[in-house]
Structure formats: structure tokens, C-alpha cells
Amino acid sequence: MSSSSHCSLFSLFFFLLFHKISWAADTITATLSVKDGEGKTTIVSSNGTFELGFFSPGKSENRYVGIWYKNISVTTVVWVANRETPLNTTSGILKIIKPGILVLLNEDNATIWSTNTSRSVQNPIAQLLDSGNLVIKDAGDGNEEKNFLWQSFDYPTDTYLPGMKIGWNFVTGHETFLSSWKSSEDPATGEFKYSINRNGYPQNFLKRGSVVRYRSGPWNGFQFSGSLNSRQSPFYEIGFVFNPREAYFTNHLLQPVITKATLSWNGLLERTTWVDRTQRWVLYLNVPTDTCDIYKLCGAYGKCNIQTSPVCGCLDKFVPKNEADWLKADWSSGCERRTALSCNEGEGFLKYSGIKLPDTQSVWFNQTMTLEECKTRCLRNCSCMAYSNIEIRNGGTGCFMWFDELLDIRLVPNEGQDIYIRVAASELGKSFAPIHLLVISTLCFRTLCKVMIT
Ligand SMILES: *[C@@H]1O[C@H](CO)[C@@H](O)[C@H](O)[C@H]1NC(C)=O
Ligand SMILES: *[C@@H]1O[C@H](CO)[C@@H](O)[C@H](O)[C@H]1NC(C)=O
Ligand SMILES: *[C@@H]1O[C@H](CO)[C@@H](O)[C@H](O)[C@H]1NC(C)=O
Ligand SMILES: *[C@@H]1O[C@H](CO)[C@@H](O)[C@H](O)[C@H]1NC(C)=O
Ligand SMILES: *[C@@H]1O[C@H](CO)[C@@H](O)[C@H](O)[C@H]1NC(C)=O
Ligand SMILES: *[C@@H]1O[C@H](CO)[C@@H](O)[C@H](O)[C@H]1NC(C)=O
Ligand SMILES: *[C@@H]1O[C@H](CO)[C@@H](O)[C@H](O)[C@H]1NC(C)=O
């Protein structure tokens, strides 16, 4: 008798315990805050994927509010709230207050960090969604983006999660980008930034301070031009949107994998996937991928070919601008036309294939023009140096025109694009097979150039 009632008491106890744990709230409300220290609390997204609470990175004793994967054995923080303003005690508390902002308070009730909003609602709550997005909305509202007063996906730290949009909202002027941690134990903003550059036609840049280290190239309808690391994947789909209101890229999962991309404190954008069997994050790809991903390595009109040694050469019909530098493997001075342009009748364009399109920061573009219209327009203007389609889907659409030097070109044999570059009349219609010209241009900096050509 008594043992059986003990038993049912026990099961009731475990039942309640189980429910308390598995039903951990996913929301912060007026009456439910997230606390550090004794009686520490967290919130957990509804299907148990993400958790939000206080943590200390590595050996650091600083306290931060962050989001991490709940069900992964290696603690992996994907977002940090107060990255610049750590707490040095465990008496922090994260609260939601009117008109709809989250505030992080220290032991003196001073605000250490807070969110922002331009709207106000009656009953604000903060909810951690299964995507890893922390959103603030009115308690009665659904999870559509238009209802959010604020969302952490608009303020990422170093980690890209599927569904985030990296780029620009031109209407509000808000930019969403990744920025590295300062070190593996300090989430403060580090030196590296991965973002969309909005000059000319949008491209993704990885920068260290103000110095560009990597450029993705413009989106060509399938991937970023010639960026092997943006190839379609069976796990996720990359989308790119560019219109007068916004420019961003995004990823959607195609398979139930756990994947993220993190801009590490030492400047690599690393996409990893979680492998349950080995309990490890496995590298899927990283950016920059190889030497040819180094921005402008081969200078203007230079081309980087990862299959050759050295990797830098000049485009066909171009020669090194400074042979002495090139002989010392300093390619930054780039190349120039071996026959200068003179704006004569008869100048025209040579087609170069398998190319990662040059930097589009100062390109002129029109998204609806055809290649033929693009050519006509470029030919008319002596300072138009090259043209190409923007997208290669549907046989090619849109028009790019470059009016200055062509920078940061790499060869991508099976995935690159065609570009048409202006050359002097005498360079057109010669019957050299392209392969010979390639040999000549690679030999040029050995001063054999002139001999071979004449
Ligand atoms: C947690 O991970 C284990 C394997 O590591 C898995 O069997 C389980 O379904 C996961 N639970 C959730 C809620 O993701
Ligand atoms: C903790 O931080 C406060 C400011 O937030 C500062 O005044 C105090 O000196 C710090 N204490 C320690 C031990 O670093
Ligand atoms: C902080 O605020 C709480 C609740 O408003 C109050 O009970 C507590 O005394 C305050 N603490 C300090 C140090 O002001
Ligand atoms: C809050 O908004 C103001 C004005 O829009 C902006 O200057 C400020 O940086 C924002 N603060 C945060 C924490 O986003
Ligand atoms: C949780 O939800 C996310 C987003 O809907 C989904 O990708 C993920 O597979 C779900 N995980 C589990 C364990 O149900
Ligand atoms: C772009 O090209 C289309 C025709 O192909 C033309 O109607 C439109 O005016 C052009 N836009 C600009 C800004 O030149
Ligand atoms: C050629 O294009 C440049 C750059 O767009 C422009 O400044 C210049 O006026 C154009 N010249 C002619 C003759 O159209």
C-alpha cells in the first residue's frame, strides 16, 4: 500500500519535473525574466533547438547573454547580446519592458545593454524561435516578420544561421552583417567583417578593418560569379535579392542538417555542419578558399589561375605593366594592353570565357538590357572598357559596363562567365589560336615577349 503510494508520488514528481524541463518557456514576459547567478534561468525554443541565457566564453569570467544550441554537446554560441558590455558579476537580469524593449540590468539596476524599437505595443514579449532568432513582438501576434519590433537576426554577431538576410534595407538604411569576435574568449567586435558592399552592383566582401580581403563577385543567378564556395549545395539553397528597396543574400535549408557559417576571430568565414555520430562540427567550406581568392592579387587586367605556378598571369593581349616587379612575384602593378587603345574606328571587343567577373564596385548596370544592346552602348563610348551579362540564367540577362581598370579577375574554367574586353583594332581578327596567345602572355615577363610576337 504505502510503497505503491510512494511510487505514484515519485512518478508524479518525475512527471512534473519532466514537464518543467521539457516545457521550459520560449518567451520572456513581463513576469518571466532570464536571470544569472543563483536560480539561474534560461529560455528554450519550442522544439528544443536553441537556448538563451547567461554564459562565460572559455576561461573568461565575464558574463554575457547569448544564444547557443541546446542539444549539442560542444557549447556553440551563435549570438551575443552585450558583446561590448560584459557583466563582471553573476547578478545580471534580462527583462522585457514597455514599449517593447529588452534590457539587461546589473546589480544596481543600471541598463548595461538594450534593444531598440520605433514602435510600441501593449503587451511586449521576447520569443526565441526554432530558427535561433530572438524576436520582440506583441503577445497576441503571430511569428510573421512584419509583427516584430526587433529581431536578433537583424543584429548578428559572428554567426550566420539559415534564414538570416545579410545585406541592406535601403528604405531604413539598416545594414545586417557578420563581425568576428575579438578572440576566442572575447565576443567584442573584432577586426573582420563579412557584408554586402552596396557600391555599384552588390557583392559580398570580407574585410579586415577597411581593407578588402575577399570579394564574392556579383550574383549570376546560380552563384556568386566564379566563387566556388557559393556553388549550390544539396544541404542549403542560396538566394540573392537586389531591388531598389533591398540587397541581401540568404540561405534556406533543404535537408534537416544543423549548419552555420561563422566568421572566426582570425578572419575565415567557415561553414560547418554538425555530425551527431562523431559529436563534432565538420568543416564544409571556408572563405577565402585559396590564393586566388585574395582580393586584387594579380592587379588590374591580371588573372589568377589556381592551376598554374605562379598563379598570376596577364589576360590574353595584355602584358605586365612592370616586368621587374612581376619577376619578383609582386603582381600588384597588374597588366596593360600590349597595344594601347586610341579610340579609333575598328576598336572592338574580345571575348574572354571562364572568368570570375571583375570588381563591380564602380560598374554601370542595367538589369533588363540584352547583351547586344550592352555591346552597342559600350562600343559607342571610348571609355567603356568591357561589358558582360549580369546573370547567366535563361541564356544571359542584364548589362554590366566597366569604365575603369578591371580588377580581381580569376579563371574558373567550368563555372566562370564571359566578358567582352575592348582591344585595339589590330588585336582583332588575328588568327592566333587562343592557346598560343596564352603562352605568349605567360612568357611575356621573361622579356621573350617582343621576340615571340615579332
Ligand atoms: C538531441 O540529440 C539526440 C542525439 O544527439 C537526438 O537523438 C535527439 O532527438 C535530439 N533532441 C532534440 C530535441 O533535438
Ligand atoms: C565591474 O564593472 C563595474 C562597471 O560595470 C566596475 O565599476 C567595477 O569596477 C567592475 N569590477 C571589477 C572587479 O572589475
Ligand atoms: C532593483 O529593482 C528591483 C525591482 O524593481 C528592486 O527590488 C531592487 O531593490 C532594486 N535594486 C537596487 C540596487 O536598486
Ligand atoms: C537605436 O536607434 C538609434 C536611432 O535609430 C540608433 O542611433 C542607435 O544606434 C540604436 N541603438 C541600438 C543599440 O541599436
Ligand atoms: C526545430 O525547428 C527548426 C526550424 O523549424 C527545424 O529546422 C529543426 O529541424 C527542428 N528540430 C527538431 C529537433 O525538431
Ligand atoms: C535599361 O534598359 C531598358 C531597355 O533594355 C530601358 O528601357 C531602360 O530605360 C534602361 N534603364 C536605364 C537606367 O538606362
Ligand atoms: C561615356 O561614359 C562615361 C561614364 O559613364 C560618361 O561620363 C561619358 O559622358 C560617356 N561619353 C559619351 C560620349 O557618351
Side-chain angles (χ1 to χ4, degrees):
M1 231 359 201
S2 90
S3 80
S4 98
S5 75
H6 265 125
C7 187
S8 44
L9 262 178
F10 259 135
S11 34
L12 183 65
F13 173 73
F14 279 113
F15 178 82
L16 289 173
L17 187 71
F18 175 76
H19 274 248
K20 181 145 195 271
I21 290 166
S22 64
W23 286 9
D26 67 350
T27 47
I28 298 173
T29 64
T31 52
L32 195 76
S33 307
V34 170
K35 291 192 201 81
D36 200 6
E38 216 162 298
K40 187 174 184 262
T41 58
T42 62
I43 57 169
V44 175
S45 76
S46 75
N47 78 6
T49 305
F50 289 100
E51 181 166 33
L52 176 145
F54 286 84
F55 76 102
S56 292
K59 294 193 205 73
S60 165
E61 284 181 359
N62 285 334
R63 301 298 287 168
Y64 297 91
V65 169
I67 296 173
W68 54 85
Y69 291 94
K70 164 98 178 140
N71 195 26
I72 279 182
S73 55
V74 178
T75 303
T76 309
V77 173
V78 296
W79 184 74
V80 183
N82 55 323
R83 67 189 303 192
E84 313 290 350
T85 50
L87 289 158
N88 56 16
T89 64
T90 56
S91 36
I93 178 164
L94 184 67
K95 282 185 168 173
I96 185 117
I97 59 170
K98 285 193 176 171
I101 61 172
L102 272 172
V103 290
L104 175 59
L105 306 178
N106 68 7
E107 66 272 27
D108 302 324
N109 287 345
T111 302
I112 294 301
W113 173 89
S114 87
T115 64
N116 235 348
T117 184
S118 52
R119 272 167 57 204
S120 124
V121 293
Q122 217 29 54
N123 187 10
I125 60 164
Q127 184 175 14
L128 181 59
L129 306 182
D130 287 325
S131 57
N133 194 7
L134 176 67
V135 305
I136 300 178
K137 59 175 191 174
D138 190 64
D141 282 341
N143 283 336
E144 292 96 56
E145 198 169 347
K146 66 170 170 48
N147 292 330
F148 301 158
L149 280 72
W150 179 93
Q151 57 176 336
S152 63
F153 271 19
D154 283 340
Y155 303 88
T157 50
D158 64 344
T159 300
Y160 181 88
L161 293 173
M164 267 185 191
K165 296 171 173 179
I166 297 292
W168 288 88
N169 179 330
F170 298 131
V171 179
T172 61
H174 181 74
E175 183 190 11
T176 303
F177 58 92
L178 301 180
S179 54
S180 64
W181 285 23
K182 219 169 211 152
S183 73
S184 60
E185 299 192 346
D186 184 357
T189 305
E191 291 180 282
F192 297 94
K193 176 175 176 184
Y194 194 81
S195 62
I196 284 198
N197 180 297
R198 57 183 289 183
N199 296 334
Y201 198 85
Q203 314 172 90
N204 306 338
F205 276 12
L206 196 168
K207 286 168 132 186
R208 175 182 205 156
S210 59
V211 179
V212 179
R213 300 192 112 205
Y214 164 82
R215 173 187 73 95
S216 68
W219 181 254
N220 70 15
F222 294 113
Q223 62 185 52
F224 292 102
S225 177
S227 289
L228 307 181
N229 48 45
S230 68
R231 281 182 185 135
Q232 293 302 339
S233 156
F235 298 120
Y236 55 89
E237 183 177 54
I238 304 176
F240 177 78
V241 170
F242 176 41
N243 60 43
R245 279 161 285 117
E246 53 193 350
Y248 67 84
F249 73 83
T250 187
N251 292 181
H252 293 290
L253 282 184
L254 300 173
Q255 300 284 332
V257 289
I258 298 177
T259 177
K260 64 179 177 65
T262 301
L263 182 59
S264 71
W265 61 271
N266 53 356
L268 279 179
L269 183 67
E270 297 175 313
R271 176 174 286 282
T272 50
T273 53
W274 176 256
V275 177
D276 234 8
R277 192 177 59 80
T278 53
Q279 296 287 298
R280 295 178 94 137
W281 287 103
V282 171
L283 188 64
Y284 186 77
L285 56 81
N286 57 18
V287 176
T289 303
D290 59 27
T291 316
C292 284
D293 270 348
I294 299 171
Y295 183 62
K296 291 200 301 197
L297 181 71
C298 303
Y301 297 108
K303 62 169 201 287
C304 196
N305 183 352
I306 200 66
Q307 314 273 9
T308 61
S309 173
V311 290
C312 285
C314 290
L315 288 170
D316 180 18
K317 318 280 190 198
F318 288 76
V319 293
K321 214 171 197 168
N322 184 331
E323 279 184 36
D325 285 350
W326 272 61
L327 283 171
K328 288 180 240 152
D330 172 5
W331 302 293
S332 55
S333 55
C335 308
E336 60 191 0
R337 285 175 180 75
R338 71 179 183 192
T339 311
L341 296 175
S342 53
C343 199
N344 284 334
E345 286 286 313
E347 270 179 18
F349 298 96
L350 268 185
K351 175 175 168 177
Y352 296 73
S353 297
I355 299 284
K356 171 179 176 177
L357 290 184
D359 202 342
T360 55
Q361 275 192 85
S362 52
V363 84
W364 183 95
F365 66 88
N366 178 314
Q367 287 166 303
T368 56
M369 269 164 76
T370 64
L371 194 62
E372 205 46 44
E373 290 169 322
C374 195
K375 176 185 182 173
T376 309
R377 189 139 176 188
C378 189
L379 191 60
R380 272 209 315 254
N381 187 326
C382 282
S383 45
C384 181
M385 291 299 140
Y387 70 92
S388 78
N389 270 144
I390 299 174
E391 296 215 348
I392 57 178
R393 281 188 307 186
N394 309 321
T397 55
C399 170
F400 278 139
M401 298 198 310
W402 284 265
F403 289 91
D404 42 24
E405 295 182 316
L406 304 182
L407 291 169
D408 197 39
I409 294 172
R410 70 175 291 178
L411 294 191
V412 216
N414 299 314
E415 290 159 80
Q417 289 173 242
D418 295 338
I419 184 172
Y420 300 82
I421 303 179
R422 183 183 288 261
V423 294
S426 64
E427 297 285 22
L428 292 164
K430 289 207 173 174
S431 57
F432 285 125
I435 188 74
H436 291 144
L437 289 162
L438 217 125
V439 172
I440 291 174
S441 68
T442 53
L443 288 177
C444 269
F445 51 91
R446 299 190 183 155
T447 61
L448 285 167
C449 184
K450 288 163 193 110
V451 185
M452 301 252 330
I453 293 166
T454 49

